[in-house]
Amino acid sequence: MSFIEIKNLWQRFGEQVVFEQLNARVERGEFVTIVGASGCGKTSFLNVLLGTQRPSRGRVLVAGQPLRDEPDAERGVVFQRYSVFPHLTVVQNVLIAREFEGSPLLGRLFGARRRRALAEVAELLQAVGLAEAANKYPCELSGGMQQRLAIAKALIKKPKILLLDEPFGALDPGIRADMHALLSALWREHRLTIFMVTHDLKEAFQLGSRLWVFDKIRRDRHSPEAYGAHITYDIPIDRNSNALRRGAQQTAVAQRRKYEAVPTAAGR
Amino acid sequence: MAALATAAAIQAIAMKKLINYTPSAWARVCLGLLPFAVLLAAYIVASDIRLAQNPSDKLLPSIGSMLAAVDRMALQPSRRSGEYLLWVDTASSLSRLALGVGISAAIALVVGVLNGAVPLLRANLSPLVRAISLVPPMAILPILFIVMGLGEGAKVSLIVIGITPFLIRDLQSRTLEIPAEQKIKAQTLGASSWQLIVRILLPQLLPRLIGSVRLSLGSAWLFLIAAEAIASTEGLGYRIFLVRRYLAMDVILPYVLWITWLAFVIDWMLDRCSRRLYPWFYR
Ligand SMILES: Nc1ncnc2c1ncn2[C@@H]1O[C@H](COP(=O)(O)OP(=O)(O)OP(=O)(O)O)[C@@H](O)[C@H]1O
Ligand SMILES: [Mg+2]
């Protein structure tokens, strides 16, 4: 049994089929990067995994259990924007996760428990390079710092599954490289299972241990909405070896041949 | 050559669009004060002309007679009660206003946030709030007087009834404006519904509440003065309507200026408080 099993997942909004017949198994500790054309349903797919959107058909099992249909602490998330709370300082933004679990009524910690939690938060902020900015509000941070804060927040709960929707889209190349290094290190250290949507193919190959390409394999010229996206390529990436990466690209070519052999609907 | 350059420069200046001329800080102050000075001068001239024709004219009293009225109302004890009327009026009006606005703000914060945060409650309460907000408050003033008598209760209630629906609806939409991502994010950090409300939504709504209260203060004054005009024994609105019988413009005009000044100061203080308490909101 795989850690995550995606079984015949469909998503439809009215007449529009966003994705269809998604089938996949993902093991614990895999880093799946997802690329695909804009509007092909990548965010929708993450929303299904997050539990904020109910799939039209099919289901997702996590460790053999059906996915809970509301967000919970098992699944961390970093959105492209709005992942930090504007009214809390950097420290408070991370600390609040501990306060939620330690104080059901007030949502605040005091005394020794607060000090212990603060020490843990300080360590995490050090790891993401935000120790200096600990007492600033998010509006006083640069875009890259805000995204690092969002990642620190997502990591403090040590979620089994981490969902990232274009988390580095708005960052400049230098900070982006720093963030890549940070994320890779944290992924290895905590053995997270990560799904990351990106528009940057290079980033997808660099970071992931497996790359998914979302695309339509069936098209109907007369009603473009009739068919949804599939996982058209599922490419394993060995992050330690470029030779193997090249191998992966060959697999991609092989897979493409396989998909192109599939009989397609009218108008291809 | 030089002429050409000058012409070009003039044209460059002339080319700049009107919307791009920004006055310096000093110029802004002067430009801002100018209309006030013009109004004051116009009043003085008009008052002089009328008083020259008819020294007992009451409509546009001279600055001097208004100052005398202020002295009488604010600095001398009243002959009848021994009270300093302006201050008594101010104290009772302000306490009614504070009580009414305070109660409204408290109700609005609770109902508005719950409505915004809990879809089940919103489905339940939102139509009711909407219906109540359409009732013209002045139309139910007689009902308030009948039910609550002519005491403080009716006056404070009028303010509450007048501004609470607006505040609730405003706060409800402000709550809904908070990005869904934040609510999802809080849940992935383990927040319960209650924790989400008290730690994420409420704190973010406090500065917005102050903003809505500032907007509603104009109406609050309106309802206060209306209620005082009809049934009261002291208060700024009561006094204005009382001396109206004697056409005492020399009292009414300073009272109006005083009320305007109070409204301005309250608004300014709320703004300052909000900026001091919620610095993250203003960037
Ligand atoms: N709640 C919704 N109701 C109706 N249609 C929706 C909804 N959410 C998404 N869609 C539609 O589903 C399609 C896929 O949207 P989605 O946001 O998943 O795309 P995406 O792959 O993330 O695109 P991008 O790369 O631009 O972020 C879009 O055509 C969008 O219009
Ligand atoms: Mg998207």
Side-chain angles (χ1 to χ4, degrees), chain A residues 213-265:
Chain A
V213 180
F214 275 35
D215 199 4
K216 293 187 184 188
I217 55 173
R218 297 190 290 175
R219 280 172 217 274
D220 182 340
R221 221 180 331 178
H222 304 294
S223 60
E225 301 198 328
Y227 297 108
H230 292 253
I231 304 175
T232 46
Y233 301 100
D234 183 349
I235 308 165
I237 307 166
D238 189 318
R239 300 201 5 165
N240 298 317
S241 148
N242 275 327
L244 274 171
R245 184 175 304 166
R246 243 174 280 129
Q249 275 157 356
Q250 279 159 11
T251 323
V253 174
Q255 293 230 348
R256 178 182 306 174
R257 290 213 190 90
K258 194 173 87 194
Y259 277 113
E260 278 170 357
V262 172
T264 53

Short mmCIF file of all heavy atoms in Angstrom, two decimals, chain A residues 213-265:
data_model
loop_
_atom_site.label_atom_id
_atom_site.label_comp_id
_atom_site.label_asym_id
_atom_site.label_seq_id
_atom_site.Cartn_x
_atom_site.Cartn_y
_atom_site.Cartn_z
N VAL A 213 3.59 16.14 -15.39
CA VAL A 213 3.12 17.16 -16.33
C VAL A 213 1.62 16.98 -16.51
O VAL A 213 1.17 15.88 -16.82
CB VAL A 213 3.82 17.02 -17.70
CG1 VAL A 213 3.31 18.08 -18.66
CG2 VAL A 213 5.33 17.12 -17.53
N PHE A 214 0.86 18.03 -16.22
CA PHE A 214 -0.59 18.00 -16.44
C PHE A 214 -0.88 18.51 -17.84
O PHE A 214 -0.43 19.59 -18.21
CB PHE A 214 -1.30 18.92 -15.44
CG PHE A 214 -1.60 18.29 -14.12
CD1 PHE A 214 -0.74 17.36 -13.55
CD2 PHE A 214 -2.77 18.62 -13.42
CE1 PHE A 214 -1.02 16.78 -12.32
CE2 PHE A 214 -3.05 18.05 -12.19
CZ PHE A 214 -2.18 17.13 -11.64
N ASP A 215 -1.60 17.74 -18.60
CA ASP A 215 -1.97 18.21 -19.93
C ASP A 215 -3.17 17.41 -20.42
O ASP A 215 -3.45 16.32 -19.93
CB ASP A 215 -0.80 18.04 -20.91
CG ASP A 215 -0.97 18.93 -22.13
OD1 ASP A 215 -1.95 19.71 -22.18
OD2 ASP A 215 -0.13 18.82 -23.04
N LYS A 216 -3.85 17.98 -21.40
CA LYS A 216 -4.99 17.25 -21.98
C LYS A 216 -4.45 16.27 -23.01
O LYS A 216 -3.62 16.64 -23.83
CB LYS A 216 -5.96 18.23 -22.65
CG LYS A 216 -6.64 19.13 -21.66
CD LYS A 216 -7.70 19.96 -22.32
CE LYS A 216 -8.28 20.92 -21.27
NZ LYS A 216 -9.44 21.64 -21.74
N ILE A 217 -4.91 15.04 -22.97
CA ILE A 217 -4.51 14.14 -24.03
C ILE A 217 -5.65 13.95 -25.02
O ILE A 217 -5.45 13.53 -26.13
CB ILE A 217 -4.04 12.77 -23.50
CG1 ILE A 217 -5.09 12.14 -22.63
CG2 ILE A 217 -2.72 12.92 -22.79
CD1 ILE A 217 -4.74 10.73 -22.23
N ARG A 218 -6.82 14.31 -24.61
CA ARG A 218 -7.93 14.28 -25.56
C ARG A 218 -8.42 15.70 -25.75
O ARG A 218 -8.53 16.46 -24.79
CB ARG A 218 -9.08 13.41 -25.02
CG ARG A 218 -8.68 11.97 -24.83
CD ARG A 218 -9.88 11.15 -24.53
NE ARG A 218 -10.40 11.45 -23.20
CZ ARG A 218 -11.54 10.92 -22.72
NH1 ARG A 218 -12.24 10.10 -23.46
NH2 ARG A 218 -11.95 11.22 -21.52
N ARG A 219 -8.67 16.07 -26.95
CA ARG A 219 -9.19 17.41 -27.21
C ARG A 219 -10.36 17.32 -28.17
O ARG A 219 -10.38 16.48 -29.06
CB ARG A 219 -8.11 18.28 -27.84
CG ARG A 219 -7.13 18.85 -26.87
CD ARG A 219 -5.99 19.53 -27.63
NE ARG A 219 -4.73 19.31 -26.94
CZ ARG A 219 -4.30 20.08 -25.96
NH1 ARG A 219 -4.99 21.12 -25.58
NH2 ARG A 219 -3.16 19.82 -25.36
N ASP A 220 -11.30 18.21 -27.95
CA ASP A 220 -12.42 18.30 -28.89
C ASP A 220 -12.46 19.75 -29.34
O ASP A 220 -12.72 20.64 -28.53
CB ASP A 220 -13.72 17.89 -28.17
CG ASP A 220 -14.90 17.93 -29.12
OD1 ASP A 220 -14.80 18.62 -30.17
OD2 ASP A 220 -15.92 17.30 -28.81
N ARG A 221 -12.16 19.96 -30.62
CA ARG A 221 -12.05 21.33 -31.10
C ARG A 221 -13.36 22.11 -30.89
O ARG A 221 -13.36 23.30 -30.67
CB ARG A 221 -11.69 21.33 -32.57
CG ARG A 221 -10.67 22.41 -32.91
CD ARG A 221 -10.32 22.39 -34.37
NE ARG A 221 -10.45 21.05 -34.93
CZ ARG A 221 -10.24 20.79 -36.21
NH1 ARG A 221 -9.91 21.75 -37.03
NH2 ARG A 221 -10.38 19.56 -36.69
N HIS A 222 -14.48 21.40 -30.98
CA HIS A 222 -15.77 22.10 -30.92
C HIS A 222 -16.20 22.42 -29.50
O HIS A 222 -16.93 23.36 -29.26
CB HIS A 222 -16.82 21.26 -31.63
CG HIS A 222 -16.42 20.94 -33.04
ND1 HIS A 222 -16.29 21.92 -34.00
CD2 HIS A 222 -16.03 19.77 -33.62
CE1 HIS A 222 -15.88 21.36 -35.13
NE2 HIS A 222 -15.70 20.06 -34.92
N SER A 223 -15.77 21.64 -28.52
CA SER A 223 -16.06 22.01 -27.14
C SER A 223 -14.81 21.73 -26.29
O SER A 223 -14.64 20.66 -25.74
CB SER A 223 -17.26 21.24 -26.59
OG SER A 223 -16.99 19.86 -26.63
N PRO A 224 -13.92 22.74 -26.25
CA PRO A 224 -12.63 22.57 -25.59
C PRO A 224 -12.75 22.20 -24.11
O PRO A 224 -11.79 21.73 -23.51
CB PRO A 224 -11.96 23.93 -25.78
CG PRO A 224 -13.04 24.87 -26.19
CD PRO A 224 -14.11 24.07 -26.82
N GLU A 225 -13.94 22.40 -23.53
CA GLU A 225 -14.06 22.12 -22.10
C GLU A 225 -14.46 20.69 -21.82
O GLU A 225 -14.54 20.28 -20.67
CB GLU A 225 -15.12 23.06 -21.49
CG GLU A 225 -14.79 24.52 -21.68
CD GLU A 225 -15.57 25.40 -20.74
OE1 GLU A 225 -16.71 25.03 -20.42
OE2 GLU A 225 -15.03 26.43 -20.32
N ALA A 226 -14.73 19.93 -22.89
CA ALA A 226 -15.32 18.61 -22.67
C ALA A 226 -14.33 17.63 -22.04
O ALA A 226 -14.75 16.69 -21.38
CB ALA A 226 -15.83 18.06 -24.00
N TYR A 227 -13.05 17.83 -22.27
CA TYR A 227 -12.07 16.89 -21.71
C TYR A 227 -11.12 17.61 -20.76
O TYR A 227 -10.78 18.77 -20.97
CB TYR A 227 -11.28 16.22 -22.82
CG TYR A 227 -12.15 15.38 -23.73
CD1 TYR A 227 -12.44 15.79 -25.02
CD2 TYR A 227 -12.69 14.18 -23.26
CE1 TYR A 227 -13.24 15.03 -25.84
CE2 TYR A 227 -13.50 13.42 -24.08
CZ TYR A 227 -13.77 13.84 -25.37
OH TYR A 227 -14.57 13.08 -26.17
N GLY A 228 -10.69 16.91 -19.73
CA GLY A 228 -9.82 17.53 -18.74
C GLY A 228 -8.39 17.05 -18.87
O GLY A 228 -8.06 16.23 -19.74
N ALA A 229 -7.55 17.57 -17.99
CA ALA A 229 -6.13 17.22 -18.02
C ALA A 229 -5.87 15.88 -17.35
O ALA A 229 -6.63 15.44 -16.48
CB ALA A 229 -5.34 18.32 -17.32
N HIS A 230 -4.83 15.22 -17.80
CA HIS A 230 -4.32 14.02 -17.16
C HIS A 230 -2.91 14.30 -16.67
O HIS A 230 -2.33 15.32 -17.00
CB HIS A 230 -4.19 12.88 -18.18
CG HIS A 230 -5.47 12.37 -18.68
ND1 HIS A 230 -5.97 11.15 -18.29
CD2 HIS A 230 -6.37 12.90 -19.53
CE1 HIS A 230 -7.12 10.95 -18.91
NE2 HIS A 230 -7.39 12.00 -19.66
N ILE A 231 -2.36 13.32 -15.96
CA ILE A 231 -0.92 13.37 -15.73
C ILE A 231 -0.30 12.74 -16.96
O ILE A 231 -0.26 11.52 -17.10
CB ILE A 231 -0.53 12.56 -14.47
CG1 ILE A 231 -1.30 13.09 -13.26
CG2 ILE A 231 0.96 12.63 -14.24
CD1 ILE A 231 -1.08 12.29 -11.99
N THR A 232 0.16 13.58 -17.91
CA THR A 232 0.60 13.00 -19.18
C THR A 232 2.02 12.45 -19.08
O THR A 232 2.38 11.55 -19.81
CB THR A 232 0.55 14.05 -20.31
OG1 THR A 232 1.13 15.24 -19.83
CG2 THR A 232 -0.87 14.31 -20.73
N TYR A 233 2.84 13.05 -18.22
CA TYR A 233 4.18 12.49 -18.00
C TYR A 233 4.39 12.33 -16.51
O TYR A 233 4.04 13.21 -15.74
CB TYR A 233 5.26 13.41 -18.55
CG TYR A 233 5.11 13.68 -20.02
CD1 TYR A 233 4.54 14.86 -20.45
CD2 TYR A 233 5.55 12.74 -20.95
CE1 TYR A 233 4.37 15.10 -21.79
CE2 TYR A 233 5.39 12.98 -22.30
CZ TYR A 233 4.80 14.15 -22.73
OH TYR A 233 4.64 14.39 -24.05
N ASP A 234 4.97 11.22 -16.15
CA ASP A 234 5.31 10.97 -14.75
C ASP A 234 6.77 10.53 -14.76
O ASP A 234 7.09 9.40 -15.07
CB ASP A 234 4.39 9.86 -14.21
CG ASP A 234 4.65 9.60 -12.73
OD1 ASP A 234 5.66 10.12 -12.20
OD2 ASP A 234 3.86 8.87 -12.12
N ILE A 235 7.63 11.50 -14.47
CA ILE A 235 9.06 11.29 -14.73
C ILE A 235 9.83 11.18 -13.42
O ILE A 235 9.86 12.12 -12.63
CB ILE A 235 9.63 12.49 -15.52
CG1 ILE A 235 8.76 12.74 -16.76
CG2 ILE A 235 11.07 12.24 -15.90
CD1 ILE A 235 9.01 14.08 -17.39
N PRO A 236 10.44 10.05 -13.16
CA PRO A 236 11.27 9.96 -11.95
C PRO A 236 12.55 10.76 -12.15
O PRO A 236 13.12 10.77 -13.24
CB PRO A 236 11.56 8.47 -11.82
CG PRO A 236 11.37 7.92 -13.18
CD PRO A 236 10.41 8.79 -13.90
N ILE A 237 12.98 11.46 -11.12
CA ILE A 237 14.22 12.24 -11.20
C ILE A 237 15.13 11.75 -10.10
O ILE A 237 14.72 11.70 -8.94
CB ILE A 237 13.94 13.74 -10.97
CG1 ILE A 237 12.83 14.24 -11.90
CG2 ILE A 237 15.21 14.54 -11.16
CD1 ILE A 237 12.29 15.58 -11.49
N ASP A 238 16.34 11.40 -10.44
CA ASP A 238 17.30 11.11 -9.37
C ASP A 238 18.07 12.38 -9.09
O ASP A 238 18.82 12.87 -9.93
CB ASP A 238 18.26 9.98 -9.79
CG ASP A 238 19.09 9.56 -8.59
OD1 ASP A 238 19.54 10.46 -7.85
OD2 ASP A 238 19.28 8.35 -8.40
N ARG A 239 17.86 12.92 -7.93
CA ARG A 239 18.41 14.24 -7.65
C ARG A 239 19.91 14.21 -7.46
O ARG A 239 20.53 15.25 -7.36
CB ARG A 239 17.73 14.85 -6.43
CG ARG A 239 16.26 14.97 -6.69
CD ARG A 239 15.59 15.97 -5.83
NE ARG A 239 16.48 16.72 -4.98
CZ ARG A 239 16.14 17.82 -4.37
NH1 ARG A 239 14.94 18.29 -4.52
NH2 ARG A 239 16.98 18.44 -3.59
N ASN A 240 20.52 13.00 -7.34
CA ASN A 240 21.95 12.99 -7.06
C ASN A 240 22.78 12.78 -8.32
O ASN A 240 23.98 12.84 -8.27
CB ASN A 240 22.26 11.87 -6.06
CG ASN A 240 21.55 12.15 -4.76
OD1 ASN A 240 21.54 13.27 -4.30
ND2 ASN A 240 20.94 11.12 -4.20
N SER A 241 22.12 12.54 -9.43
CA SER A 241 22.93 12.18 -10.58
C SER A 241 22.35 12.78 -11.85
O SER A 241 21.20 12.55 -12.21
CB SER A 241 22.99 10.65 -10.69
OG SER A 241 23.08 10.28 -12.05
N ASN A 242 23.19 13.54 -12.53
CA ASN A 242 22.73 14.15 -13.76
C ASN A 242 22.55 13.11 -14.85
O ASN A 242 21.69 13.24 -15.71
CB ASN A 242 23.71 15.21 -14.23
CG ASN A 242 23.42 16.53 -13.54
OD1 ASN A 242 22.26 16.82 -13.26
ND2 ASN A 242 24.44 17.29 -13.23
N ALA A 243 23.40 12.08 -14.79
CA ALA A 243 23.29 11.02 -15.80
C ALA A 243 21.89 10.42 -15.71
O ALA A 243 21.22 10.23 -16.72
CB ALA A 243 24.34 9.95 -15.54
N LEU A 244 21.47 10.20 -14.46
CA LEU A 244 20.16 9.60 -14.30
C LEU A 244 19.07 10.56 -14.71
O LEU A 244 18.03 10.16 -15.21
CB LEU A 244 19.97 9.18 -12.84
CG LEU A 244 20.52 7.78 -12.56
CD1 LEU A 244 20.51 7.49 -11.09
CD2 LEU A 244 19.70 6.74 -13.32
N ARG A 245 19.33 11.87 -14.50
CA ARG A 245 18.33 12.83 -14.91
C ARG A 245 18.13 12.76 -16.42
O ARG A 245 17.03 12.82 -16.93
CB ARG A 245 18.75 14.24 -14.50
CG ARG A 245 17.69 15.26 -14.82
CD ARG A 245 18.06 16.62 -14.32
NE ARG A 245 18.33 16.61 -12.88
CZ ARG A 245 18.93 17.63 -12.27
NH1 ARG A 245 19.29 18.68 -12.95
NH2 ARG A 245 19.16 17.57 -10.98
N ARG A 246 19.28 12.59 -17.11
CA ARG A 246 19.17 12.44 -18.54
C ARG A 246 18.33 11.21 -18.86
O ARG A 246 17.50 11.21 -19.74
CB ARG A 246 20.55 12.34 -19.18
CG ARG A 246 20.82 13.50 -20.14
CD ARG A 246 22.25 13.46 -20.63
NE ARG A 246 23.20 14.01 -19.67
CZ ARG A 246 24.31 13.40 -19.27
NH1 ARG A 246 24.62 12.21 -19.73
NH2 ARG A 246 25.11 13.99 -18.41
N GLY A 247 18.57 10.15 -18.09
CA GLY A 247 17.79 8.93 -18.26
C GLY A 247 16.30 9.23 -18.10
O GLY A 247 15.47 8.77 -18.89
N ALA A 248 16.01 10.06 -17.11
CA ALA A 248 14.62 10.40 -16.85
C ALA A 248 14.00 11.09 -18.05
O ALA A 248 12.85 10.84 -18.41
CB ALA A 248 14.53 11.31 -15.63
N GLN A 249 14.83 11.95 -18.68
CA GLN A 249 14.29 12.64 -19.84
C GLN A 249 14.01 11.66 -20.97
O GLN A 249 13.06 11.82 -21.71
CB GLN A 249 15.26 13.74 -20.30
CG GLN A 249 15.03 15.01 -19.51
CD GLN A 249 16.22 15.94 -19.47
OE1 GLN A 249 17.29 15.61 -19.98
NE2 GLN A 249 16.04 17.09 -18.86
N GLN A 250 14.87 10.61 -21.03
CA GLN A 250 14.59 9.59 -22.04
C GLN A 250 13.29 8.87 -21.73
O GLN A 250 12.49 8.60 -22.61
CB GLN A 250 15.75 8.60 -22.12
CG GLN A 250 16.90 9.16 -22.95
CD GLN A 250 18.21 8.48 -22.66
OE1 GLN A 250 18.24 7.45 -21.99
NE2 GLN A 250 19.29 9.05 -23.15
N THR A 251 13.09 8.60 -20.44
CA THR A 251 11.82 8.00 -20.05
C THR A 251 10.67 8.88 -20.52
O THR A 251 9.66 8.40 -21.00
CB THR A 251 11.72 7.86 -18.52
OG1 THR A 251 12.99 7.53 -18.02
CG2 THR A 251 10.69 6.83 -18.13
N ALA A 252 10.89 10.19 -20.37
CA ALA A 252 9.84 11.14 -20.76
C ALA A 252 9.49 10.96 -22.23
O ALA A 252 8.32 10.90 -22.59
CB ALA A 252 10.31 12.56 -20.50
N VAL A 253 10.55 10.85 -23.02
CA VAL A 253 10.31 10.67 -24.45
C VAL A 253 9.54 9.37 -24.68
O VAL A 253 8.56 9.34 -25.43
CB VAL A 253 11.65 10.67 -25.21
CG1 VAL A 253 11.42 10.33 -26.67
CG2 VAL A 253 12.34 12.01 -25.06
N ALA A 254 9.97 8.33 -23.97
CA ALA A 254 9.29 7.04 -24.12
C ALA A 254 7.83 7.16 -23.73
O ALA A 254 6.93 6.67 -24.43
CB ALA A 254 9.98 5.99 -23.25
N GLN A 255 7.60 7.89 -22.62
CA GLN A 255 6.22 8.04 -22.16
C GLN A 255 5.39 8.81 -23.17
O GLN A 255 4.24 8.47 -23.41
CB GLN A 255 6.21 8.81 -20.83
CG GLN A 255 6.85 8.03 -19.72
CD GLN A 255 5.94 7.99 -18.51
OE1 GLN A 255 4.97 8.71 -18.45
NE2 GLN A 255 6.24 7.12 -17.58
N ARG A 256 6.04 9.84 -23.74
CA ARG A 256 5.30 10.63 -24.71
C ARG A 256 4.85 9.73 -25.86
O ARG A 256 3.71 9.77 -26.30
CB ARG A 256 6.17 11.76 -25.24
CG ARG A 256 5.47 12.59 -26.30
CD ARG A 256 6.37 13.66 -26.83
NE ARG A 256 6.92 14.48 -25.75
CZ ARG A 256 7.83 15.42 -25.97
NH1 ARG A 256 8.29 15.63 -27.19
NH2 ARG A 256 8.30 16.12 -24.97
N ARG A 257 5.78 8.86 -26.32
CA ARG A 257 5.42 7.94 -27.41
C ARG A 257 4.23 7.11 -26.99
O ARG A 257 3.28 6.92 -27.73
CB ARG A 257 6.60 7.03 -27.73
CG ARG A 257 7.72 7.80 -28.38
CD ARG A 257 8.47 6.95 -29.38
NE ARG A 257 9.67 7.67 -29.78
CZ ARG A 257 10.83 7.53 -29.14
NH1 ARG A 257 10.95 6.67 -28.15
NH2 ARG A 257 11.86 8.24 -29.52
N LYS A 258 4.30 6.64 -25.76
CA LYS A 258 3.23 5.78 -25.27
C LYS A 258 1.89 6.53 -25.33
O LYS A 258 0.90 6.00 -25.85
CB LYS A 258 3.53 5.37 -23.83
CG LYS A 258 2.68 4.21 -23.35
CD LYS A 258 3.13 3.75 -21.97
CE LYS A 258 2.44 4.54 -20.88
NZ LYS A 258 3.07 4.36 -19.58
N TYR A 259 1.92 7.80 -24.84
CA TYR A 259 0.66 8.55 -24.80
C TYR A 259 0.18 8.89 -26.20
O TYR A 259 -1.00 8.93 -26.48
CB TYR A 259 0.81 9.83 -23.98
CG TYR A 259 0.66 9.57 -22.51
CD1 TYR A 259 1.73 9.71 -21.63
CD2 TYR A 259 -0.56 9.12 -22.01
CE1 TYR A 259 1.58 9.45 -20.30
CE2 TYR A 259 -0.69 8.85 -20.67
CZ TYR A 259 0.38 9.01 -19.81
OH TYR A 259 0.23 8.75 -18.50
N GLU A 260 1.15 9.16 -27.07
CA GLU A 260 0.72 9.53 -28.41
C GLU A 260 0.13 8.35 -29.15
O GLU A 260 -0.61 8.52 -30.12
CB GLU A 260 1.87 10.17 -29.18
CG GLU A 260 1.98 11.63 -28.79
CD GLU A 260 3.22 12.30 -29.30
OE1 GLU A 260 4.05 11.61 -29.92
OE2 GLU A 260 3.36 13.52 -29.06
N ALA A 261 0.46 7.16 -28.67
CA ALA A 261 -0.11 5.98 -29.29
C ALA A 261 -1.58 5.79 -28.89
O ALA A 261 -2.34 5.13 -29.58
CB ALA A 261 0.68 4.74 -28.90
N VAL A 262 -1.94 6.45 -27.76
CA VAL A 262 -3.33 6.33 -27.30
C VAL A 262 -4.25 6.97 -28.33
O VAL A 262 -4.01 8.08 -28.77
CB VAL A 262 -3.51 7.04 -25.94
CG1 VAL A 262 -4.97 7.10 -25.56
CG2 VAL A 262 -2.70 6.34 -24.88
N PRO A 263 -5.29 6.27 -28.75
CA PRO A 263 -6.20 6.88 -29.70
C PRO A 263 -6.87 8.10 -29.08
O PRO A 263 -7.31 8.05 -27.93
CB PRO A 263 -7.24 5.78 -29.97
CG PRO A 263 -7.06 4.77 -28.90
CD PRO A 263 -5.69 4.92 -28.36
N THR A 264 -6.91 9.22 -29.80
CA THR A 264 -7.46 10.44 -29.22
C THR A 264 -8.77 10.81 -29.89
O THR A 264 -9.10 10.32 -30.95
CB THR A 264 -6.47 11.61 -29.40
OG1 THR A 264 -6.13 11.68 -30.77
CG2 THR A 264 -5.23 11.40 -28.57
N ALA A 265 -9.46 11.69 -29.22
CA ALA A 265 -10.77 12.11 -29.72
C ALA A 265 -10.59 12.99 -30.96
O ALA A 265 -9.48 13.35 -31.32
CB ALA A 265 -11.51 12.88 -28.64
#
